[in-house]
Amino acid sequence: QVQLVESGGGLVQAGGSLRLSCAASGRSIFRVNTMDWYRQAPGKQRELVAGITSGGSTNYGDSVKGRFTISRENGNNTVYLQMNSLQPDDTAVYYCNAGIVLRETIGLNIYWGQGTQVTVSS
């Protein structure tokens, strides 16, 4: 069984910083490909915040460029999201997403974490 476990959310004032973590675990994991962060605010669609490939290539949503940084540790299948200069519009539930190849299988499987709340007060 594969799990993505997120941590690091919370309440912060505008202009502050938070660091989110997401660890993929499970004996059946052969390889973790792209790992992404999404977010969903109340009444809005889920949107891509940032993504990173296993080789370290990154991409960001326009609203977070220059403020957020995604990174990962391939050895322990963990992805991080450093969020600086947070604004009230960043308030949302943040979800980790990973494309994972399982042992003795072919094809890519998509997994989601349970989500972590980030609230930015003005």
Side-chain angles (χ1 to χ4, degrees):
Q1 185 176 1
V2 175
Q3 284 188 312
L4 298 184
V5 179
E6 299 130 335
S7 61
L11 173 65
V12 65
Q13 289 188 332
S17 298
L18 283 174
R19 190 190 195 209
L20 306 183
S21 301
C22 171
S25 63
R27 293 184 177 182
S28 59
I29 293 176
F30 174 68
R31 184 178 67 248
V32 179
N33 287 0
T34 299
M35 302 186 81
D36 303 317
W37 286 99
Y38 284 77
R39 68 185 181 186
Q40 188 165 20
K44 294 187 178 181
Q45 288 188 331
R46 190 171 295 190
E47 64 173 352
L48 176 67
V49 176
I52 185 167
T53 67
S54 57
S57 296
T58 60
N59 66 290
Y60 295 92
D62 288 341
S63 62
V64 306
K65 285 180 181 176
R67 300 188 298 123
F68 292 9
T69 302
I70 190 170
S71 60
R72 66 186 285 173
E73 292 181 1
N74 288 333
N76 59 10
N77 294 328
T78 300
V79 63
Y80 304 97
L81 186 68
Q82 178 66 43
M83 305 185 293
N84 298 329
S85 302
L86 283 160
Q87 299 301 317
D89 283 349
D90 295 315
T91 296
V93 178
Y94 284 70
Y95 297 91
C96 176
N97 167 289
I100 297 175
V101 179
L102 303 179
R103 296 186 187 278
E104 300 180 352
T105 68
I106 59 174
L108 198 63
N109 302 276
I110 305 300
Y111 293 90
W112 289 89
Q114 80 284 358
T116 184
Q117 177 70 47
V118 171
T119 302
V120 184
S121 63
S122 57

